[in-house]
Amino acid sequence: MPRTLEGQITMEKTPSYFVTKEAPARISSMSKGTKLIVVVRDPVTRAISDYTQTLSKKPDIPTFESLTFKNRTTGLIDTSWSAIQIGIYAKHLENWLLYFPIGQILFVSGERLISDPAGELGRVQDFLGLKRIITDKHFYFNKTKGFPCLKKAEGSSKPHCLGKTKGRTHPDIDQEVVQRLRDFYRPFNMKFYQMTGQDFGWD
Ligand SMILES: Nc1ncnc2c1ncn2[C@@H]1O[C@H](COP(=O)(O)OS(=O)(=O)O)[C@@H](OP(=O)(O)O)[C@H]1O
């Protein structure tokens, strides 16, 4: 990590931190006061998004439906598949709470980041003790992309959307499998809402 001078904030992001067993102890021993931000979305959509990303790199992988189950007949879900495992947020959070108080972690809703990016970034700015510089006026909805984009990128006068790897079309998944996954995640989601004091509305 680079040195942080008075009045500066150093930020680092890696999607796998939240699910890495050793990460909380390591970050805590580096700096106990580190503020943590976690972006979470509906774990079922997250799993499909994860699969879509892998599929784009390896088009020959088995279907989402077949990877989901250890045994399709009994409906036993393969919780060792990382696409499924990562979405068990309550389990991962337990690991972080051994090292950090809940107030030191901000949970950003992936859904609201799309429906109300300025509102969600307002929460981020407040959490970091920053003035609310980024507001509604920085975003517009890009109909072609189907997502909010920045009116002006940093250091440019041109609009900027996230790249092609963000906001891919997901494959159609058997609705029975989706429902089975919804049932699977429900208790973990409830526990996560309880732990964070936030209802993410994933049901
Ligand atoms: N503004 C905007 N534009 C495009 N995409 C947006 C935006 N806001 C949130 N998202 C969602 O971000 C998802 C991709 O993020 P990743 O999971 O790949 O991020 S990371 O790898 O964890 O850093 C991506 O998931 P997919 O839709 O499955 O591609 C998007 O739904």
Side-chain angles (χ1 to χ4, degrees), residues 15-176:
S16 58
Y17 281 154
F18 187 54
V19 298
T20 301
K21 195 97 211 318
E22 302 78 16
R26 286 181 182 164
I27 295 176
S28 165
S29 74
M30 183 195 70
S31 169
K32 260 166 73 79
T34 303
K35 290 188 182 184
L36 306 165
I37 301 176
V38 189
V39 183
V40 283
R41 76 195 290 192
D42 179 338
V44 180
T45 328
R46 208 215 73 81
I48 300 170
S49 169
D50 197 324
Y51 174 79
T52 309
Q53 177 152 338
T54 310
L55 192 64
S56 74
K57 292 178 198 151
K58 297 184 200 158
D60 295 336
I61 54 167
T63 62
F64 180 87
E65 289 83 345
S66 62
L67 289 167
T68 296
F69 296 103
K70 265 203 174 118
N71 182 328
R72 179 112 193 223
T73 322
T74 61
L76 186 65
I77 285 177
D78 188 353
T79 53
S80 68
W81 184 27
S82 63
I84 304 275
Q85 221 265 330
I86 293 171
I88 310 175
Y89 302 136
K91 290 239 156 147
H92 305 303
L93 180 55
E94 267 171 11
N95 195 25
W96 287 87
L97 293 180
L98 300 173
Y99 294 89
F100 292 92
I102 191 85
Q104 213 166 306
I105 314 176
L106 179 73
F107 298 92
V108 172
S109 155
E111 286 79 17
R112 283 202 299 270
L113 207 49
I114 297 167
S115 63
D116 178 19
E120 221 41 24
L121 280 164
R123 294 181 61 235
V124 173
Q125 292 169 97
D126 292 350
F127 176 71
L128 296 176
L130 297 171
K131 268 206 289 190
R132 284 196 174 209
I133 300 283
I134 302 166
T135 62
D136 260 345
K137 65 174 195 284
H138 291 89
F139 296 94
Y140 74 101
F141 186 81
N142 183 308
K143 278 194 197 149
T144 317
K145 176 86 183 164
F147 283 91
C149 298
L150 282 173
K151 282 184 189 162
K152 281 183 199 170
E154 207 186 349
S156 152
S157 57
K158 289 192 192 140
H160 177 75
C161 294
L162 292 182
K164 284 195 185 113
T165 62
K166 313 282 174 195
R168 294 186 180 99
T169 307
H170 294 173
D172 282 332
I173 305 298
D174 182 337
Q175 281 309 301
E176 247 182 65

